[in-house]
Amino acid sequence: MIENGLTNDIICEVLLTLTLKDYSYTDTDRDPNRKGEVWLFGKVLKPPLINNETEIYIKLKLQGRVVCLSFHRTSFL
C-alpha cells in the first residue's frame, strides 16, 4: 500500500465503490482459524505513486462485518 501511495482513505473509497462488475469469484477461506467463504474482486485504478493503471486484487470476508483480508496489486496488467 505504502509503495503505491495508497492511503486508508483511498482504500476505503475503492471498497465502497465495488460492484458486481468487479466481482471475480467466491472461494473457501484456507486459514484454519477462519472458516467460511471469501469473495474476490478486481478493480483497475491508478495509484498515486504508479504511472500506469494497475489491477488491484481484493479479498473480502463477512465476519459479522465486512473484513478486507487482502488489497494489493496483481501482476496481470
Side-chain angles (χ1 to χ4, degrees), residues 10-75:
I10 292 171
I11 291 170
C12 287
E13 182 180 324
V14 170
L15 292 175
L16 290 172
T17 63
L18 289 176
T19 68
L20 189 56
K21 182 177 88 170
D22 305 312
Y23 172 79
S24 182
Y25 64 98
T26 301
D27 201 358
T28 302
D29 195 333
R30 292 185 179 94
D31 184 331
N33 297 319
R34 294 187 315 242
K35 297 183 193 294
E37 295 180 332
V38 293
W39 295 279
L40 294 100
F41 295 83
K43 187 86 169 172
V44 176
L45 59 101
K46 186 181 174 309
L49 299 180
I50 303 294
N51 291 330
N52 305 355
E53 285 187 332
T54 188
E55 185 172 19
I56 302 296
Y57 170 91
I58 303 165
K59 187 188 320 182
L60 302 176
K61 182 170 182 85
L62 184 61
Q63 294 180 311
R65 60 189 169 103
V66 176
V67 178
C68 182
L69 301 176
S70 182
F71 191 102
H72 57 84
R73 280 194 308 167
T74 66
S75 57

